[in-house]
Amino acid sequence: MTLSRHFRALILAGAAALVLSACATTSGPKVRIDADPTANMMSYGTYSFFEPFGTDRSGAATTLGNSVKQAIRNEMDRRGVRYVESGGDLLVNAAVKSSEKTDVSTMSVPDPYFGYRYGRYSPWVGYNQETVVRQYTEGTLTVDLVDRARKQLVWSGAAFGRVTDKVRNNPQAAVGTAVSEIFARYPKAPVQ
């Protein structure tokens, strides 16, 4: 490997590390909310879980599903909406899924010999474009609130984020964070 190629490889590796670390430091999941503008969310005083719950497999509760339910109960309780075994004003359902994603980015990488010119004046052939391809898993958690009497979806929140080793090693904490981020946008504020 020539000295020029060695420097190029080092610069590319350093740039890739910076890009990856910048992505890893995002504060939390992205959240999207959809709400029925005609629904009075303040009027709902009780809730029950939808049966079968969206995270259940073949009718059996899952550990992940139980974590989602507990996180939802924590958030609804904080807002003064009381859990009842059945017949609640709202029926709450949730689902989780993961999908494989590809992120492709291109960056300018100066040739080490001409690096002293980088950023000082117009680029020329000494500047190269390098493409970085990263594979990752994106997880999505969706929470639906359904008006039981009308059988109408009235509020839905979804959290999207990268599934990292930290998430895989402690999924309950990740679920708690995602549900908290979703309910931070719920129209009924936590009761003091």
Side-chain angles (χ1 to χ4, degrees), residues 1-38:
M1 182 180 269
T2 67
L3 188 58
S4 176
R5 283 189 177 174
H6 181 68
F7 280 139
R8 183 182 298 166
L10 285 175
I11 289 169
L12 182 59
L18 282 173
V19 170
L20 290 173
S21 67
C23 291
T25 59
T26 57
S27 61
K30 294 177 194 169
V31 175
R32 292 191 187 121
I33 302 298
D34 190 20
D36 178 350
T38 65

Side-chain angles (χ1 to χ4, degrees), residues 114-157:
F114 299 108
Y116 68 94
R117 295 177 179 162
Y118 189 68
R120 294 184 180 174
Y121 37 89
S122 296
W124 72 283
V125 293
Y127 293 94
N128 299 313
Q129 293 289 321
E130 298 288 344
T131 301
V132 178
V133 178
R134 291 176 281 150
Q135 301 285 336
Y136 65 95
T137 302
E138 180 179 77
T140 305
L141 179 123
T142 306
V143 177
D144 292 339
L145 303 182
V146 176
D147 181 307
R148 183 183 54 82
R150 295 187 303 148
K151 296 184 180 176
Q152 176 69 42
L153 179 67
V154 292
W155 191 86
S156 181

Side-chain angles (χ1 to χ4, degrees), residues 1-94:
M1 182 180 269
T2 67
L3 188 58
S4 176
R5 283 189 177 174
H6 181 68
F7 280 139
R8 183 182 298 166
L10 285 175
I11 289 169
L12 182 59
L18 282 173
V19 170
L20 290 173
S21 67
C23 291
T25 59
T26 57
S27 61
K30 294 177 194 169
V31 175
R32 292 191 187 121
I33 302 298
D34 190 20
D36 178 350
T38 65
N40 178 3
M41 299 306 291
M42 303 305 169
S43 69
Y44 300 109
T46 60
Y47 71 97
S48 304
F49 287 110
F50 202 88
E51 293 294 333
F53 198 61
T55 60
D56 295 347
R57 299 287 181 240
S58 304
T62 63
T63 304
L64 182 61
N66 290 336
S67 295
V68 172
K69 283 182 176 179
Q70 187 57 54
I72 292 170
R73 284 186 74 162
N74 292 343
E75 293 299 325
M76 294 294 270
D77 290 349
R78 289 181 59 219
R79 286 160 177 77
V81 184
R82 188 173 48 88
Y83 173 75
V84 293
E85 191 69 33
S86 63
D89 301 329
L90 290 170
L91 294 177
V92 180
N93 203 3

